[in-house]
Amino acid sequence: MLRLQVLKSRTRNFSQRRLKSSSSFIRNTFIDYFKDNHGHKHIKSSSVVPLCDPTVPFVNAGMNQFKGVFLGVVDAPCSRAVNSQKCIRVGGKHNDLDLVGMDGHHHTFFEMLGNWSFGDYYKKEACQMAWNLLLGPYKLKPENLLVTYFEGDAIIGLQEDRECRDIWKEIGVQSSHIKAHGARDNFWEMGLTGPCGPCTEIHYINPDGSLTEIWNIVFIQCNREADGSVTALRRQHVDTGMGLERMTALLQGVPSNYDTDLFRPLINVIEKNSKGVSPYSASYKSDAAVDRAYRRLADHARMIGACLADGVFPSSSLNLKQIMRKSFKISSEVFQNPNLLSLLYNELMITLGDTYPELVSREKEAKLIIDHENDSYIKLRENLAKKWRDLVKMYPEVEELNDVDLAGFALGYKEFKESMSKVNSSIIPGELVFKLYDTHGFQEDIIERIAKLNNLEIDKKGFWKLLSNHKSRHKTAFKEQTTKKGIMFDKAIEKLNENGIKKTDDQPKYDFTELGDEILFKPLKSKLVALLNEDGEWLDFSEPCEDKPYYIVSESSNFFCEEGGQIADDGLIHFNGNVNFKVDSVFKIRDIIFHKGNFVLNKVSDSYVKLGNSVVLEINREKRLNVMINHTGVHLLNAAIRKVLPNSVICQTGSSVTDKYFTLNLSVYGEKLSQKVVLEAQDLIKESIESNAMVQTKVIDSTQLSSEPGVLTVPGETYPEVGIRLVTIAPPLVSKELCCGTHARRAAALRALCVVRVRGARGHAPALSALAGHAALQARELFCRAQKLAEVIELADPERVKDEASSIKKELSELCGEGGAPYGEYADCLQLLANLQKKATNKNDLALQAIAQSEVQEACQNAIREGRRFTVHFLRCSYLMQSEAVRDTLGAGDRRLPALLLGCAGGVVVATARVPQEMVTPMFTAEKWLSCLLPIFKATILPPTSDRSLLTHAEMSATKVSLINCEQLVQDSMRVAIKYAQSHVKEFDVDKENSTQNRQQN
């Protein structure tokens, strides 16, 4: 496909009639022409992230949202369509990132104007419509246009498209303006696989004779298979594409896309808000680094804005995160204004907001994310500095990559060098490329730069195949498919396909009936179609063996395999009264469900199992029921958190649903999670449970999604073209999510829900763990036990209280699991139990505490009597006490002079520093004094409380130490504390101060 730079000399020819050719006019004219004149339906641009296509990271062409239609998987929304589609090219086969800013026409984000025929009109009508638009509303001259068509390709197995050639002649195009080209220019493919076909292109002839491609009309009649072959589609379609940016440059008579009204306003914003940088001069010379930076930042701002407006999150899109970092780097280092991206978003709303209103409606969310990512980038740069210096010492060549901002770059580059030193090849293996991409987060352009720097080539085909497999492969299947087993599974699937079995019918997994309050799962009758041994070898028949695993495939299955974060079912497959199969795990490979487990023989039998046997599949009812309840709990919690945090931007990054508990992983920008937020979210869920809100599941196709507003999806998750399950929970807490999991039919089935742990609550990526159903009720029962214990503590025996509190804590720990800090009611309960145990300290402990308090008091008074300005003391009897009791004791003593007190209880060191207010100086505060001990114990300062300031009272976090080393650590810390105080405490006469206070009181 030809594309040469539009020349400046063209400007004079068009200056008189380009006054009204704004980008909006060009876009609207295109849409109105096909809608009003040729009966096309205007289809709204889809999101820049493909919902149902794992083969591309972003929508990279106008036809992406219609791929399922071209493949015959879903019905077309209409017979003719027209739209302006937002497109992004920063990964995969179509990757323009390296060229952005280098010339005037490559972009990461662009708009593709297109018209489609879904089995309606074909070549003649498509060519005629395009020609009439160019010569009519756009007023181009036929002598300035040249068309190309497909000359055929022996490798593909397609002949010359003479039909297309003759159509152009009939339209009136001169033979000298019709050229034939090969597959490279005139055979269009969206990716490594998928719909494709010959195309015809319309080019503008520049005054110097060079060509600018302005329109591509694709005749989609083929499909590129995974093995590289090309097969015919059932129906023929037309897909046309005309780049708005390129056409705008042509009709506005400007030398490049960056001189159009789509980019110039953005460049003006950069000029006005930069420091010490010359204005944009539109130079494309090799030394025009600043002009390249203008173009690159303007381009990236459009791509970033489009992504954020469509709900793409940097946390789930490596490409977006890296381009944002590139933009922050340009903004800060070239234009000396780190806030340029937010200012450019304002301009983007003006230039594109009317066409894509989501840019305006999501402004607040977009700017929250921009600000957060900018702060993260600044911290990243600070942390990378030392790692980068060390890497350059080892591999000096990486100095040429000093613009790369990746947290894992140093580690990844080291692994790359070490791996390639063991490979006698000038090609980076696809496996290594994939690891750099998937494990270390290297973008494809960075990997290509690394390859060039080291004079190596890249196995791109191998990498793209691994990437495609990774996106479509099931987790459990991935674990099962070792190199040997993977081949065996593939052979088994091929054999099944040959036998007419293309997929396992697993729709029965959603079937159940309600009988009053009871939920019943009816066993499923099916037929055994594949039996594999533990090595994945195909067996036509076998004597069942109890001590070896097997893999079973049946025609249909009611077992849920691990998908959408939900764990797989387990259960039994019954062959007969004597032979059963205990299913331990279930997974899917290429639409075939494999049941893994062991045979269970009720008595010694000489029977065989063989293909064609009738079997009955019975799932574990209790496990499935708990899983259903917990999965509905995930949806309710997701909706509740969003409702409680209306001013935050929240993205679900994943979830995990088991029969014991569930977790919800989020990205949160803006106000973060807190105890208050979690408890308010639980209250909303409680309302939904009490109102017995309906949970409805509807099956839709991808083309129906546009008519379902407010549907939540997981960014980066790929959904099927057909059979998408939309799960909706009715008010009071509305939830609408695409989900393949199993759910309860009413919220009341949950009975209760409580969040018990949160990992990273105050951070950007919290993970909430929660209980629902019977487990939640168990937790609530334990919370209640703790409350009842608090009510009778004054009457109860101290030892009984301590035993009961310990028992409750143990049961809660087993129920609530590990991972993250206790939260919600669980955290409140643990605090209550700690207080109860503290109050229940037996008499011996009280006696010890009294002795300890006297020891501290005496140490302080001795210091005053001896005229010392401070005291540093270690509490000897603390070894016999509890750490909390020691901390309380250290808070006692004479407060007339500075005191730093330490204690060690059961191998846990605690320390407190106190400084009278009148003795506080900038260099001598309780916090600074105590801080000199922190490196010795590797501890931290506890946060201040509402009733004390770190200036006058500081406490060190309780730190576990070895009793063998404790004495030495304490001595070292006391020496450091004494030395610090001697250097910084100011002279202060305690007796004189006391006398002054007494006179004031009298």
Side-chain angles (χ1 to χ4, degrees):
M1 297 179 188
L2 304 177
R3 175 63 176 93
L4 298 177
Q5 183 177 331
V6 182
L7 302 181
K8 290 186 178 181
S9 58
R10 197 182 64 214
T11 305
R12 294 190 302 272
N13 300 334
F14 292 92
S15 59
Q16 295 302 314
R17 61 180 176 82
R18 298 297 177 228
L19 297 179
K20 70 172 185 177
S21 295
S22 67
S23 56
S24 294
F25 167 80
I26 296 167
R27 184 193 297 111
N28 293 336
T29 297
F30 184 94
I31 293 170
D32 292 343
Y33 171 79
F34 284 100
K35 181 166 63 75
D36 298 337
N37 297 358
H38 298 287
H40 288 60
K41 180 179 179 180
H42 181 204
I43 303 291
K44 181 180 181 292
S45 170
S46 69
S47 166
V48 294
V49 177
L51 190 69
C52 307
D53 189 355
T55 64
V56 288
F58 291 102
V59 167
N60 59 16
M63 59 80 70
N64 281 63
Q65 67 172 307
F66 304 118
K67 183 176 178 180
V69 176
F70 298 142
L71 287 171
V73 178
V74 296
D75 293 332
C78 53
S79 60
R80 302 180 176 199
V82 60
N83 86 338
S84 178
Q85 174 65 49
K86 297 174 291 186
C87 300
I88 290 177
R89 290 186 179 175
V90 292
K93 179 181 177 182
H94 298 288
N95 187 359
D96 295 339
L97 184 59
D98 283 347
L99 299 174
V100 171
M102 303 295 290
D103 57 29
H105 54 271
H106 279 99
H107 306 293
T108 54
F109 169 81
F110 61 95
E111 294 178 73
M112 186 62 74
L113 303 173
N115 59 287
W116 290 270
S117 164
F118 305 119
D120 187 3
Y121 61 82
Y122 202 45
K123 294 181 181 180
K124 183 175 182 180
E125 296 90 338
C127 294
Q128 187 70 64
M129 290 175 191
W131 195 253
N132 290 348
L133 175 60
L134 292 176
L135 271 57
Y138 288 155
K139 303 187 187 311
L140 295 179
K141 303 293 184 184
E143 60 268 23
N144 293 329
L145 300 176
L146 178 143
V147 298
T148 62
Y149 70 96
F150 181 53
E151 69 177 3
D153 189 287
I155 297 176
I156 297 176
L158 296 178
Q159 297 181 343
E160 179 185 5
D161 192 356
R162 295 178 180 175
E163 179 188 5
C164 181
R165 178 199 64 187
D166 294 340
I167 288 171
W168 284 120
K169 288 182 178 180
E170 288 178 21
I171 288 174
V173 181
Q174 297 296 316
S175 296
S176 60
H177 282 231
I178 303 174
K179 304 291 182 184
H181 288 292
R184 180 177 179 180
D185 292 319
N186 280 83
F187 190 86
W188 195 94
E189 300 185 71
M190 191 183 73
L192 293 175
T193 61
C196 54
C199 65
T200 180
E201 296 176 347
I202 305 175
H203 298 262
Y204 180 79
I205 305 172
N206 295 307
D208 67 344
S210 63
L211 301 177
T212 297
E213 177 201 331
I214 57 176
W215 206 326
N216 185 16
I217 306 174
V218 182
F219 308 120
I220 296 183
Q221 59 193 51
C222 312
N223 185 60
R224 176 75 75 173
E225 305 294 342
D227 62 2
S229 63
V230 174
T231 58
L233 290 174
R234 183 168 54 89
R235 300 179 69 192
Q236 296 175 329
H237 310 283
V238 174
D239 162 32
T240 83
M242 182 169 73
L244 174 66
E245 292 77 10
R246 189 175 295 182
M247 195 63 181
T248 301
L250 177 66
L251 295 184
Q252 290 183 356
V254 293
S256 84
N257 296 353
Y258 290 97
D259 296 296
T260 66
D261 61 351
L262 289 165
F263 287 91
R264 256 303 182 177
L266 297 170
I267 291 174
N268 292 340
V269 169
I270 301 172
E271 285 180 338
K272 293 175 182 177
N273 295 279
S274 301
K275 300 175 183 177
V277 180
S278 58
Y280 179 65
S281 63
S283 173
Y284 290 88
K285 295 179 180 178
S286 59
D287 60 350
V290 173
D291 278 356
R292 282 198 298 275
Y294 272 111
R295 291 189 288 269
R296 191 161 289 168
L297 183 57
D299 170 90
H300 290 354
R302 282 162 45 95
M303 179 266 188
I304 292 166
C307 284
L308 296 180
D310 275 346
V312 185
F313 284 78
S315 57
S316 58
S317 172
L318 178 63
N319 285 305
L320 174 58
K321 181 179 282 288
Q322 292 305 319
I323 288 179
M324 290 185 79
R325 287 178 176 175
K326 288 176 183 289
S327 301
F328 292 137
K329 185 180 181 71
I330 295 172
S331 299
S332 300
E333 297 184 4
V334 178
F335 298 112
Q336 304 298 308
N337 186 347
N339 299 315
L340 274 177
L341 215 49
S342 284
L343 298 174
L344 289 169
Y345 192 93
N346 293 338
E347 187 60 40
L348 199 60
M349 288 191 294
I350 297 173
T351 57
L352 292 179
D354 288 343
T355 306
Y356 306 112
E358 57 270 20
L359 283 163
V360 179
S361 63
R362 290 187 62 90
E363 176 191 4
K364 181 179 70 174
E365 293 91 336
K367 289 186 176 178
L368 265 175
I369 295 173
I370 290 172
D371 291 344
H372 172 87
E373 290 298 321
N374 196 12
D375 292 340
S376 297
Y377 172 74
I378 293 170
K379 293 174 184 175
L380 172 68
R381 292 291 293 175
E382 293 172 352
N383 295 333
L384 284 178
K386 183 180 184 304
K387 291 181 181 179
W388 183 259
R389 288 194 295 269
D390 294 341
L391 186 65
V392 172
K393 288 179 183 178
M394 294 178 64
Y395 308 108
E397 73 272 10
V398 298
E399 186 63 44
E400 293 187 29
L401 303 173
N402 60 9
D403 60 322
V404 176
D405 295 316
L406 272 176
F409 181 77
L411 185 62
Y413 193 83
K414 288 177 185 177
E415 181 167 352
F416 156 73
K417 294 292 286 189
E418 291 169 1
S419 298
M420 289 307 297
S421 68
K422 302 172 185 176
V423 178
N424 184 23
S425 173
S426 61
I427 299 175
I428 306 176
E431 294 83 357
L432 179 55
V433 177
F434 178 73
K435 188 168 187 181
L436 293 175
Y437 177 89
D438 186 57
T439 303
H440 299 289
F442 287 22
Q443 282 182 294
E444 293 173 58
D445 66 306
I446 293 175
I447 298 173
E448 288 176 355
R449 290 176 63 188
I450 290 172
K452 185 177 180 181
L453 186 65
N454 289 271
N455 297 315
L456 299 171
E457 299 293 326
I458 294 174
D459 177 14
K460 292 185 178 180
K461 188 174 181 180
F463 164 66
W464 285 333
K465 183 176 181 181
L466 285 169
L467 182 60
S468 178
N469 289 342
H470 173 73
K471 288 180 177 180
S472 59
R473 187 179 291 170
H474 185 268
K475 291 180 182 178
T476 306
F478 186 83
K479 295 174 186 175
E480 289 287 348
Q481 286 179 291
T482 60
T483 303
K484 183 179 179 181
K485 275 191 184 178
I487 295 172
M488 302 306 290
F489 281 128
D490 286 341
K491 287 183 178 179
I493 292 171
E494 288 171 9
K495 197 162 187 175
L496 284 166
N497 291 344
E498 290 172 3
N499 294 336
I501 298 172
K502 303 295 184 182
K503 63 179 294 185
T504 305
D505 176 15
D506 63 346
Q507 287 307 299
K509 67 188 178 185
Y510 295 114
D511 296 340
F512 63 88
T513 57
E514 292 178 309
L515 188 62
D517 293 333
E518 190 176 8
I519 294 178
L520 304 176
F521 302 95
K522 186 179 179 181
L524 176 70
K525 290 184 179 180
S526 188
K527 184 172 72 174
L528 179 68
V529 294
L531 175 65
L532 282 62
N533 65 16
E534 60 184 320
D535 296 320
E537 295 173 329
W538 181 280
L539 304 173
D540 288 320
F541 61 90
S542 176
E543 183 177 1
C545 178
E546 291 185 294
D547 57 358
K548 293 181 180 179
Y550 289 84
Y551 301 90
I552 280 179
V553 179
S554 51
E555 273 188 337
S556 55
S557 176
N558 55 352
F559 280 74
F560 189 94
C561 73
E562 185 181 348
E563 284 185 300
Q566 179 176 320
I567 63 168
D569 283 325
D570 58 39
L572 292 171
I573 298 178
H574 305 283
F575 282 78
N576 54 53
N578 296 326
V579 181
N580 297 298
F581 186 80
K582 185 176 180 295
V583 179
D584 297 319
S585 67
V586 189
F587 57 91
K588 182 188 295 184
I589 304 176
R590 288 160 52 188
D591 292 329
I592 300 294
I593 302 292
F594 291 84
H595 307 82
K596 182 182 181 182
N598 295 77
F599 282 102
V600 179
L601 307 179
N602 294 336
K603 64 180 182 178
V604 177
S605 172
D606 58 359
S607 63
Y608 280 78
V609 294
K610 61 181 180 179
L611 301 187
N613 275 158
S614 178
V615 293
V616 176
L617 295 86
E618 183 179 8
I619 64 171
N620 180 338
R621 175 191 176 276
E622 184 178 355
K623 179 179 179 180
R624 167 67 82 83
L625 186 57
N626 288 332
V627 168
M628 290 166 57
I629 287 170
N630 283 336
H631 208 147
T632 303
V634 170
H635 287 220
L636 284 170
L637 183 58
N638 195 4
I641 293 293
R642 293 167 187 273
K643 193 167 183 178
V644 175
L645 293 176
N647 296 320
S648 295
V649 185
I650 298 173
C651 162
Q652 180 183 347
T653 57
S655 64
S656 174
V657 182
T658 75
D659 55 326
K660 306 295 184 186
Y661 63 92
F662 65 86
T663 61
L664 174 64
N665 300 86
L666 302 171
S667 279
V668 180
Y669 299 86
E671 184 185 350
K672 302 296 190 293
L673 294 186
S674 65
Q675 179 80 339
K676 178 174 177 289
V677 166
V678 167
L679 292 175
E680 287 181 0
Q682 284 187 186
D683 288 341
L684 292 177
I685 295 170
K686 183 180 178 182
E687 289 180 23
S688 188
I689 293 173
E690 290 176 346
S691 68
N692 200 16
M694 288 289 295
V695 182
Q696 295 180 317
T697 300
K698 181 167 65 171
V699 180
I700 60 174
D701 294 342
S702 59
T703 52
Q704 297 172 284
L705 268 178
S706 58
S707 60
E708 296 285 350
V711 176
L712 284 181
T713 60
V714 178
E717 189 74 25
T718 302
Y719 300 88
E721 290 277 2
V722 296
I724 304 175
R725 299 180 69 84
L726 174 61
V727 179
T728 302
I729 302 177
L733 184 57
V734 178
S735 168
K736 293 179 75 174
E737 295 191 39
L738 300 185
C739 178
C740 64
T742 57
H743 289 269
R745 286 185 179 155
R746 290 184 175 275
L750 273 67
R751 302 173 72 189
L753 183 147
C754 56
V755 176
V756 292
R757 291 186 178 274
V758 181
R759 185 176 66 247
R762 301 300 299 167
H764 165 60
L768 300 89
S769 296
L771 306 174
H774 181 64
L777 291 177
Q778 281 184 286
R780 291 270 164 80
E781 184 69 24
L782 291 167
F783 300 157
C784 186
R785 273 176 62 186
Q787 289 291 344
K788 295 299 182 184
L789 183 62
E791 293 173 8
V792 300
I793 187 166
E794 300 299 335
L795 303 175
D797 176 72
E799 288 300 323
R800 177 67 183 276
V801 172
K802 291 170 69 175
D803 289 344
E804 175 69 357
S806 296
S807 175
I808 296 172
K809 287 175 68 174
K810 181 181 178 182
E811 290 183 53
L812 279 172
S813 177
E814 293 172 354
L815 187 64
C816 300
E818 299 178 349
Y823 241 75
E825 296 161 283
Y826 180 37
D828 289 343
C829 184
L830 290 180
Q831 182 61 54
L832 174 61
L833 292 172
N835 293 338
L836 295 179
Q837 288 179 311
K838 185 176 177 181
K839 287 182 180 180
T841 304
N842 63 31
K843 294 180 179 179
N844 290 333
D845 285 339
L846 290 172
L848 270 175
Q849 196 163 352
I851 294 171
Q853 289 174 350
S854 297
E855 181 181 334
V856 172
Q857 189 71 19
E858 183 62 24
C860 293
Q861 289 178 354
N862 282 342
I864 294 172
R865 286 194 294 268
E866 294 170 10
R868 297 199 301 271
R869 294 176 293 162
F870 60 89
T871 183
V872 175
H873 182 76
F874 176 74
L875 188 62
R876 286 289 168 185
C877 65
S878 61
Y879 286 118
L880 303 174
M881 302 170 64
Q882 299 294 322
S883 60
E884 284 303 314
V886 175
R887 191 180 295 283
D888 290 344
T889 301
L890 298 184
D894 200 303
R895 297 178 178 272
R896 290 177 291 171
L897 81 168
L900 192 149
L901 307 169
L902 301 96
C904 181
V908 176
V909 173
V910 293
T912 299
R914 300 196 310 264
V915 177
Q917 181 64 52
E918 57 274 14
M919 297 188 70
V920 171
T921 68
M923 291 304 296
F924 190 69
T925 66
E927 180 184 20
K928 289 187 176 180
W929 193 13
L930 190 58
S931 294
C932 69
L933 275 60
L934 302 183
I936 297 173
F937 296 106
K938 297 180 180 178
T940 60
I941 298 288
L942 294 178
T945 61
S946 58
D947 59 347
R948 69 169 187 260
S949 164
L950 289 178
L951 297 175
T952 59
H953 187 113
E955 295 183 1
M956 186 179 80
S957 61
T959 307
K960 187 77 174 175
V961 297
S962 168
L963 290 176
I964 298 173
N965 303 324
C966 184
E967 189 75 24
Q968 185 61 52
L969 293 173
V970 168
Q971 289 181 10
D972 292 345
S973 65
M974 291 178 70
R975 279 195 296 271
V976 170
I978 291 170
K979 187 175 180 180
Y980 186 92
Q982 287 173 338
S983 301
H984 296 95
V985 69
K986 71 178 183 178
E987 292 290 339
F988 191 82
D989 191 330
V990 175
D991 291 330
K992 182 179 179 181
E993 175 65 12
N994 288 340
S995 299
T996 302
Q997 290 178 354
N998 290 335
R999 286 197 301 273
Q1000 291 174 346
Q1001 291 173 359
N1002 294 332

